[in-house]
Amino acid sequence: MNDNKWWKNAIIYQIYPKSFKDSNNDGIGDLKGIIEKLDYLSFLGVDAIWLSPIYDSPMEDNGYDVADYFKIAPIFGTMEDMDSLISEAKKRNIRIIMDLVANHTSKEHVWFKEACKSIDNPYHDYFYWSDKPDDKISDFCGSSWEYVESLNLYYYHYFAKGQVDLNWTNPKVRQEIANIINWWLDKGVAGFRMDAIELIGKELDKNIFANGPKIHDYLRELNENSFGKKKDSITVGEGWPTTKIAIEYTNPEHHELDMMFNFDLISHIWKNNDLEKFEPNIPNLIELKKIFARWQNDLKDKGWNTLFWENHDLARCISNFGNDRFYREESAKALAYMLYFQQGTPFIYQGQEIGMINAYYTKLSDYQDIDSINKYQDKVIDKKIVSSSRMLKGLQRGSRDNARTPIPWNDKENAGWNNGATPWLKIIPNYKEINIEKAIANKDSVLYTYKDIFKFRKESEYRDTIINGSYETYLDDDPYIYVYKRSYNDKSFIVVVNYDDDNHELDLNIDVSNIIMSSYKDSPSSTRKVILRPYEAIVYKIK
Ligand code: NOJ
């Protein structure tokens, strides 16, 4: 199955441009800032950058509201900067993956401005309209329908008011998106992360949103008219599929997408009364093992997995799954071992590699994210279903801004992120402790765990085991210890992790030989009746 595809063994690093590096000291990260740091990414072992949107946009949702797909937002730079980013990255064998926001455009996009002129305008049918709005609620609160006085009609938006849903039933819309993709591919980008792609087949009158009946036709058509023509391109879809649905999208014989993000874990976290992600329902280890096994086993030879803990919409993984107060580094390393020896393409999010934790802001005014601000307004002020203090605590757990704080590059002024101008979002207070310079200087830091895992995946004798190997687990009912084995032909290794902040005995009758990698310096060389320390993680070679 597609074994020669470069992305099966690539490390993809997500950059949220607003927060990565501010080169011109205006308080907002930019493309030149990314170029400055390419050598760092190369040192880390990154093969491709997934760039969150940098297109021209009113930034209602930080660029996920595109006003012009062929222009760079002035706050990020110019098209020349984009060209140099592509070519400078290429010199370092790093590819650029764009974020294709094609479920919706900004209401500032010329298509929408035209569409509002009259119902006979050729762009009118690029969007969904109704003269009688129903009770659909948008993802960022409030009605999904917004009135346009000039037409006496309402337009539909799944997300914010400024993010107008494109009508994919219109073949002209589908062609426009193919043109955008081709234009960027011609420029030299490697592919696309496809935002909210599962929604493009929605059927509003039937209340069907994700995975609508036509979605596979649309994606096959798009594949044929655009990225499918470029054989080494990469596409990764954003959606919340079951494994069965993920296979429909990613089976290479279907000619749709290369891979989908797996949000099974996140659905689990969000399944909690009124406050969903703001009072996260963190799975215990036994539940986590089941989720991992489901994706590893179901997709084997039928589709392709993505491996990720974080992105710009989620809390930091150590704050959710680890212990960010007492075992920050140990638990960061344990989480890396748990996931990144599995089968699939690894994605890491900026700052994850140094074990960044949630922002823990204390005031509503510290937040910039539309989702956090609207949800506070909705739950605390409008509906009065939670108290302000409960919601503020909730934001500390689940706000998207937790992962969007500027990257701390060193312990100097403004964490070396810029030269002192006020950043658009507050820098974490603990940047003197957690920063990239410090992580590079300490060979025992979380950063070297990531770097070593990446090297192991790409360069060791286990490269094929990582790409093709089977996934077998042990001690499935153990609430503290996670063990999985990967094997391919005559090469096997086993990963053992103590997912707890206490010591636990491991007693596993497997004949291991030497340790390939471990998170503590002096880990036990056997798996028989040994004590694992908090978050201790070890990879053994199997005889
Ligand atoms: C998913 C993106 O990751 C998120 O940041 C955005 O708000 C929505 N899609 C809408 O584009």
Side-chain angles (χ1 to χ4, degrees), residues 61 64 104 140 159 163 193 195 238 312-313 400 404:
D61 187 17
Y64 285 92
H104 46 269
F140 295 147
F159 296 99
Q163 294 169 300
R193 175 264 185 184
D195 186 67
E238 189 208 21
H312 63 292
D313 293 330
R400 306 195 297 181
R404 297 177 178 184

Side-chain angles (χ1 to χ4, degrees), residues 235-251:
T235 47
V236 47
E238 189 208 21
W240 300 66
T242 57
T243 52
K244 183 169 171 281
I245 295 175
I247 292 167
E248 286 166 15
Y249 284 111
T250 65
N251 187 314

Side-chain angles (χ1 to χ4, degrees), residues 8-33:
K8 288 208 156 176
N9 207 20
I11 308 299
I12 304 183
Y13 185 95
Q14 183 190 354
I15 289 186
Y16 198 65
K18 235 181 152 178
S19 307
F20 191 63
K21 175 76 177 68
D22 174 15
S23 75
N24 61 351
N25 200 33
D26 65 352
I28 299 173
D30 45 48
L31 293 175
K32 284 206 172 107

Side-chain angles (χ1 to χ4, degrees), residues 399-413:
S399 166
R400 306 195 297 181
D401 279 342
N402 284 308
R404 297 177 178 184
T405 53
I407 292 297
W409 290 97
N410 58 41
D411 61 5
K412 312 260 155 45
E413 185 184 22

